[in-house]
Amino acid sequence: MNATHQYLFDTARAARLGDPPPPAPGTHDLAVLRAARDRRRFARVLAGRPARGGLRTALSRAVLFGAALFGASRSGPSRTAPSRPAPAPCRRPAD
């Protein structure tokens, strides 16, 4: 059973009992995401860290860590695959 089936069961039950119907699935998704973001920012402020920029900082650290992990550092040979020759240009036949 997925969310749509459950919503239809709940709507039928509410109609039978005379209650208001429940909200459709996905109605409050953005509000929940905003509340989670606000709570995370508030926790960062309480911990003494900047409220914004945490995701960008974490991603930049991950990129730097990944570069060092895969041998893209300055102190050694790179481990890239050898380059292939460019394909020959495609020529149209003369009319």
Side-chain angles (χ1 to χ4, degrees):
M1 177 183 318
N2 60 21
T4 305
H5 292 132
Q6 186 64 46
Y7 171 71
L8 293 173
F9 285 134
D10 291 341
T11 303
R13 184 182 306 125
R16 189 176 62 236
L17 298 174
D19 294 337
T27 302
H28 301 293
D29 287 355
L30 288 178
V32 169
L33 291 175
R34 285 186 190 115
R37 180 194 61 198
D38 291 343
R39 183 179 177 102
R40 190 173 56 244
R41 283 184 179 173
F42 183 67
R44 288 180 65 85
V45 168
L46 289 180
R49 297 188 307 262
R52 300 185 78 184
L55 180 63
R56 182 173 291 158
T57 303
L59 288 175
S60 66
R61 274 193 212 127
V63 168
L64 291 175
F65 178 72
L69 187 66
F70 292 113
S73 63
R74 295 181 189 173
S75 64
S78 65
R79 298 180 184 179
T80 59
S83 62
R84 296 181 183 174
C90 193
R91 299 187 182 183
R92 293 178 58 186
D95 289 333

